[in-house]
Amino acid sequence: MISAPTPEAPQWVQVLLSLLGILGGTTGLAAIATVVSQRGKFKADAADTLTEAALTLVQPLQTRITELEGQAVTSRSELGLLREQVNQLQFVVRVLTRTLDRWRTAVHAPDATLRKIRAVVTESERLSEDR
């Protein structure tokens, strides 16, 4: 009977050599080593690509936000002016309403005469000039 010689190398060395043979020797090992060493670079490239894409999407939004903030400031300023004008107009309407009420009272008075009505109108004109 022929007996098989006892292997001199440890079992793990034999497994490693077999694995290297399967992977194509040094060429396969070099390819694996390259992939493992380039993994960090691939992650960095992916992060750079994602960052550029995000900035490309965010930049127009930032520009639009800046434009809208400028328009909001302008609108607030115009709104303040319009409120002031409305307040002035409300004051004028109140003054004219009181004047009209005085004239109406003078015209409808039981003892109304043309002279009395003219006196009320003249007094109203004088009051409006004083303001």
Side-chain angles (χ1 to χ4, degrees), residues 56-66:
T56 302
L57 294 172
V58 168
Q59 186 61 34
L61 292 174
Q62 288 176 333
T63 303
R64 184 65 178 140
I65 287 171
T66 303

Side-chain angles (χ1 to χ4, degrees), residues 3-40:
S3 63
T6 309
E8 296 177 14
Q11 183 70 23
W12 67 270
V13 173
Q14 289 179 355
V15 171
L16 180 64
L17 289 174
S18 298
L19 186 60
L20 285 176
I22 292 172
L23 293 175
T26 57
T27 307
L29 186 59
I32 290 172
T34 302
V35 167
V36 169
S37 67
Q38 295 291 325
R39 219 172 117 203

